[in-house]
Amino acid sequence: QVRLMESGGGSVQAGGSLRLSCKLIEYYDQLGCIGWFRQIPGKIREGVAVIWTRTGRSRLADSVKDRFAISLDNARDLVYLDMNLLDSGDTAKYYCAAELGVSTCRLTASNFATWGEGTQVTVST
């Protein structure tokens, strides 16, 4: 059973950048989807980006597609979320998620069975 551990969150001023990392533990190069989601209190968990481990193909939410990028480092079992031009609307707790053994990836939280504990991102103006 894969486990996930996020890191890289923190506080940043609007317009700044952050890189989040998701360590895939006991991953063993399984095929499927790895995603980043975010959530603020009282709101539903929002899909930010997903990546297919087989092809490296990714999909990003419309709200971030011109500013964020997701990538996979197979050698290190790491998935990154590079976030640029951050604004206050990006303030949230960011979660890494995995759904392995599937061939279709969607930006839908209910499609993912395994989750990390999350890392907080706070953007100040």
Side-chain angles (χ1 to χ4, degrees), residues 9-117:
S11 297
V12 63
Q13 289 194 329
S17 300
L18 278 176
R19 165 175 269 197
L20 303 184
S21 299
C22 175
K23 178 66 177 176
L24 313 179
I25 302 166
E26 298 182 1
Y27 169 54
Y28 306 127
D29 294 332
Q30 298 175 66
L31 300 178
C33 308
I34 307 296
W36 283 99
F37 294 79
R38 64 187 182 185
Q39 189 172 25
I40 59 176
K43 300 291 186 181
I44 63 170
R45 195 164 290 188
E46 174 191 16
V48 176
V50 292
I51 188 165
W52 283 260
T53 61
R54 178 170 183 161
T55 65
R57 183 179 176 186
S58 63
R59 178 180 295 169
L60 289 95
D62 288 343
S63 59
V64 305
K65 64 182 180 181
D66 295 327
R67 302 181 294 122
F68 292 11
I70 186 171
S71 58
L72 172 64
D73 184 338
N74 269 314
R76 298 183 176 183
D77 291 345
L78 285 166
V79 175
Y80 300 108
L81 183 68
D82 289 296
M83 307 185 294
N84 300 302
L85 297 175
L86 287 161
D87 60 44
S88 58
D90 298 314
T91 294
K93 193 165 188 178
Y94 284 71
Y95 296 87
C96 181
E99 183 63 15
L100 303 177
V102 297
S103 58
T104 302
C105 300
R106 293 189 175 91
L107 286 165
T108 306
S110 60
N111 285 9
F112 289 78
T114 303
W115 294 83
E117 294 187 354

